Amino acid sequence: MKSNELILILDFGGQYNQLIARRVRECNVYSEVVPFNITLEKIKEKNPKGIIFTGGPASVYGENSPKCADGIFELGIPVLGICYGMQLMSHTLGGKVTSASTREYGETNVNIDNSSPLFQGFGDKNIFLMSHTDYVESVPDGFKRIGYTSVCPNAAMANDEKKLFGIQFHPEVNNSVNGTQVIKNFLYNICNCSGDWKMSSFVEESIKNLKEKIGDKKALCALSGGVDSSVAAVLLSKAIGKNLTCIFVDHGLLRKNEGDEVEKIFTQNYDLNFIRVNAKDRFLEKLAGITDPEKKRKIIGEEFIRVFEEEAKKIGTVDFLVQGTIYPDVIESGLGKSAVIKSHHNVGGLPDYVDFKEIVEPLRNLFKDEVRKTGLELGIPENLVYRQPFPGPGLAIRIIGDITNEKLDILKDADSIFREEIANAGLHKNINQYFAVLTNLKSVGVMGDERTYDYTVALRAVETTDFMTGVWSKIPYEILEKVSSRIVNEVKHVNRVVYDITSKPPATIEWE
Ligand code: XMP
């Protein structure tokens, strides 16, 4: 699968680091994020065409501030330092870094030297996002300034001969006009990349490599119906066909008709062994009377593994267990960040007692959007490829309080109406996650001449890129009105619909 061209991104702890890697890949060059203290030997081994230093919260003068390996600037490999990365480059090579009395923040007009290969094709001014307190007061010997702002004397610097470049601004964010072009210029003008990283070649090579690796041995995959496990399964099936068995544990907490849809896609379109386990009763039994969200998660996680194991035992020893791990999971666990607000267990997580010899993770190097592109390349239907994120514990954490069959049916129907109307209005592409919640609240209503005492459904819709923060979506009133009226008319036991207008933070996306 390896592309011949690699850009190494040294992570100094900045918040936009994953974005840098994505931008590089959008320019058709493969990139990997590695810890800032990667050794010189390891870098040589990886043989990158270029190196990018990310930004980070530290100051080069701080105690224990992150440093790169000695000798990195003498390898002859082009380096682009962004923000802290530029300051570190300057500090290491003898320039002067100073702390300003105030932070320069926001979209800023940067005067640039467009004779530099980094700014080729630009005018002499460009808007970039600045976000820094420290700055480079004087550039190291051999460097020249190629950009400045009204307050930052060296917003960009270059040593053309050694192919070392520093920029104080963040080209990776959308607020930087032509930001991606700066990265592209670095890749193509300075690192001489040719841009051979394409999803079609990824698919072809992955299938070839999986064939070689697995041969005629057997693999087992836990299919959740989500994008990652589906794409992993299809990739494997193209490589090894019937030697792949997929187990789909239907816990009965999926959205309306979803279990059947997953079954249909995988049994009709692909050459693999598909086992669906209808385990709704088992799950509901275990969940009876449970109201605490974390307990629900734990029970579902454990029961899922138990069901999966039982099925796997029937198959016996397999050689490979397929995991749908994707690159952000690898970066996050590998580089040790993340705060736990909810225990997001992922259905499809690693079972303890399944008898297998090796794990295979075909999507380990892909970002989510690349996984989707791979899915499309593989012919997976668009509605599955662009499926909005759906939590492993499913509707269990969208029913506040205890879970019953009746509540599940109410929620499935209400949620399906909401999704249908959002799609009809063409809003599904703009809203990143939207769903109905069955609150545990009953209130008085009137229908015809009858008094009712029924449930309140809450609608939730958020716009977000990373799901860590998000804003509530400003769905037009007419659409909300239609959804509300359809839900109270079509779904029994619902007499009130409310719309959640809190952003994240302080609320989370899910209600539990
Ligand atoms: P919150 O509710 O924390 O959700 O704002 C952020 C994203 O994570 C999803 N989510 C989960 N995913 N298991 C999962 O696999 C879980 O237990 C879980 N809880 C929340 C949520 O749908 C949103 O996309």
Side-chain angles (χ1 to χ4, degrees):
M1 189 247 4
K2 278 271 164 284
S3 148
N4 295 324
E5 296 180 341
L6 167 70
I7 294 291
L8 270 191
I9 297 171
L10 268 55
D11 182 353
F12 287 93
Q15 54 179 324
Y16 305 125
N17 299 350
Q18 286 204 21
L19 261 186
I20 301 175
R22 288 183 48 175
R23 293 285 176 259
V24 172
R25 291 192 190 184
E26 277 165 25
C27 299
N28 297 327
V29 178
Y30 181 68
S31 66
E32 273 179 20
V33 181
V34 293
F36 65 87
N37 54 4
I38 181 173
T39 62
L40 218 52
E41 288 67 43
K42 196 93 197 154
I43 295 176
K44 284 186 197 156
E45 206 179 285
K46 286 186 172 278
N47 192 24
K49 296 279 282 184
I51 297 174
I52 297 179
F53 290 2
T54 74
S59 163
V60 291
Y61 294 117
E63 238 181 89
N64 304 324
S65 59
K67 303 265 180 337
C68 51
D70 285 340
I72 201 166
F73 300 113
E74 279 76 51
L75 289 174
I77 301 172
V79 182
L80 174 66
I82 297 175
C83 195
Y84 177 82
M86 169 184 186
Q87 294 157 13
L88 180 68
M89 179 187 283
S90 177
H91 180 67
T92 312
L93 297 175
K96 185 159 187 248
V97 177
T98 307
S99 201
S101 52
T102 52
R103 182 162 169 244
E104 183 182 30
Y105 181 82
E107 285 115 29
T108 310
N109 216 335
V110 183
N111 299 285
I112 50 182
D113 173 356
N114 54 16
S115 67
S116 167
L118 199 60
F119 300 134
Q120 192 196 326
F122 286 51
D124 52 9
K125 280 187 179 17
N126 204 84
I127 302 285
F128 291 116
L129 180 83
M130 285 284 198
S131 172
H132 67 116
T133 310
D134 285 5
Y135 65 92
V136 173
E137 188 181 312
S138 54
V139 301
D141 282 348
F143 279 75
K144 63 180 180 197
R145 154 171 114 171
I146 54 168
Y148 63 95
T149 73
S150 56
V151 294
C152 183
N154 295 296
M157 64 180 194
N159 180 332
D160 288 325
E161 194 194 323
K162 293 196 163 163
K163 300 195 169 190
L164 303 178
F165 294 80
I167 48 183
Q168 185 52 68
F169 51 83
H170 290 272
E172 67 276 18
V173 295
N174 286 336
N175 325 43
S176 288
V177 180
N178 300 325
T180 305
Q181 189 61 41
V182 174
I183 292 173
K184 204 170 198 170
N185 284 349
F186 177 68
L187 302 175
Y188 287 81
N189 296 348
I190 296 156
C191 304
N192 295 321
C193 291
S194 63
D196 64 357
W197 170 251
K198 302 213 171 63
M199 289 333 289
S200 52
S201 40
F202 167 81
V203 168
E204 245 168 66
E205 271 196 55
S206 294
I207 293 173
K208 186 169 138 251
N209 291 345
L210 287 167
K211 263 187 190 150
E212 271 166 25
K213 182 175 176 152
I214 304 183
D216 53 9
K217 295 188 179 139
K218 297 213 177 320
L220 180 64
C221 177
L223 199 63
S224 69
V227 186
D228 304 340
S229 65
S230 299
V231 173
V234 173
L235 210 46
L236 258 292
S237 89
K238 300 261 181 198
I240 63 166
K242 280 269 183 320
N243 280 333
L244 172 70
T245 300
C246 289
I247 299 179
F248 169 47
V249 177
D250 183 351
H251 50 25
L253 304 162
L254 296 172
R255 290 168 290 197
K256 195 173 179 180
N257 301 330
E258 206 163 29
D260 294 344
E261 282 162 18
V262 172
E263 176 169 354
K264 197 166 150 210
I265 290 172
F266 284 92
T267 48
Q268 290 189 351
N269 301 346
Y270 301 105
D271 184 28
L272 48 79
N273 298 307
F274 181 87
I275 299 174
R276 176 175 178 180
V277 191
N278 288 315
K280 180 179 175 190
D281 294 345
R282 261 179 92 153
F283 279 85
L284 288 194
E285 223 167 87
K286 287 268 176 255
L287 287 167
I290 304 293
T291 55
D292 178 67
E294 287 302 286
K295 265 200 196 134
K296 288 180 184 173
R297 283 190 170 81
K298 201 157 176 277
I299 290 171
I300 294 166
E302 282 173 8
E303 196 59 17
F304 177 89
I305 288 175
R306 214 153 291 145
V307 176
F308 185 78
E309 276 166 9
E310 283 171 21
E311 283 309 312
K313 275 201 188 110
K314 293 183 195 160
I315 299 169
T317 307
V318 290
D319 303 283
F320 293 90
L321 185 72
V322 184
Q323 293 273 296
T325 320
I326 69 169
Y327 200 46
D329 308 331
V330 176
I331 301 182
E332 254 160 45
S333 54
L335 308 181
K337 301 175 206 148
S338 100
V340 179
I341 309 289
K342 297 176 186 182
S343 58
H344 289 190
H345 95 271
N346 268 318
V347 168
L350 188 58
D352 288 342
Y353 317 102
V354 173
D355 210 357
F356 65 94
K357 295 187 184 124
E358 213 179 308
I359 291 177
V360 50
E361 298 174 310
L363 312 177
R364 209 185 145 75
N365 294 320
L366 300 189
F367 284 107
K368 194 81 181 186
D369 53 328
E370 295 173 325
V371 174
R372 293 195 211 278
K373 281 186 199 150
T374 305
L376 293 177
E377 286 284 338
L378 289 166
I380 300 177
E382 275 201 21
N383 60 349
L384 204 166
V385 166
Y386 288 104
R387 181 185 191 257
Q388 53 169 314
F390 185 68
L395 301 183
I397 56 164
R398 294 180 181 170
I399 293 175
I400 312 302
D402 67 327
I403 300 155
T404 61
N405 244 324
E406 187 201 32
K407 287 183 182 174
L408 256 177
D409 287 342
I410 294 174
L411 181 58
K412 281 185 189 175
D413 286 341
D415 182 71
S416 144
I417 290 172
F418 187 31
R419 285 189 291 130
E420 199 179 307
E421 290 304 330
I422 291 291
N424 286 346
L427 291 175
H428 55 291
K429 293 211 168 116
N430 311 336
I431 310 177
N432 306 95
Q433 205 171 1
Y434 51 97
F435 51 87
V437 174
L438 186 61
T439 73
N440 212 15
L441 178 76
K442 282 191 167 184
S443 69
V444 175
V446 54
M447 227 177 211
D449 293 330
E450 300 275 322
R451 173 190 189 274
T452 58
Y453 189 63
D454 271 328
Y455 283 112
T456 301
V457 160
L459 305 176
R460 180 71 165 143
V462 288
E463 287 165 33
T464 171
T465 46
D466 57 7
F467 297 89
M468 312 276 276
T469 61
V471 293
W472 63 278
S473 178
K474 315 294 178 291
I475 298 177
Y477 284 164
E478 312 82 77
I479 293 157
L480 287 172
E481 188 177 25
K482 189 159 186 205
V483 175
S484 158
S485 130
R486 277 196 61 194
I487 290 177
V488 289
N489 281 304
E490 294 173 36
V491 185
K492 260 201 184 145
H493 303 301
V494 178
N495 66 356
R496 197 177 289 273
V497 176
V498 296
Y499 187 45
D500 181 349
I501 53 165
T502 23
S503 289
K504 174 181 179 178
T508 51
I509 297 174
E510 303 288 349
W511 274 37
E512 286 200 332

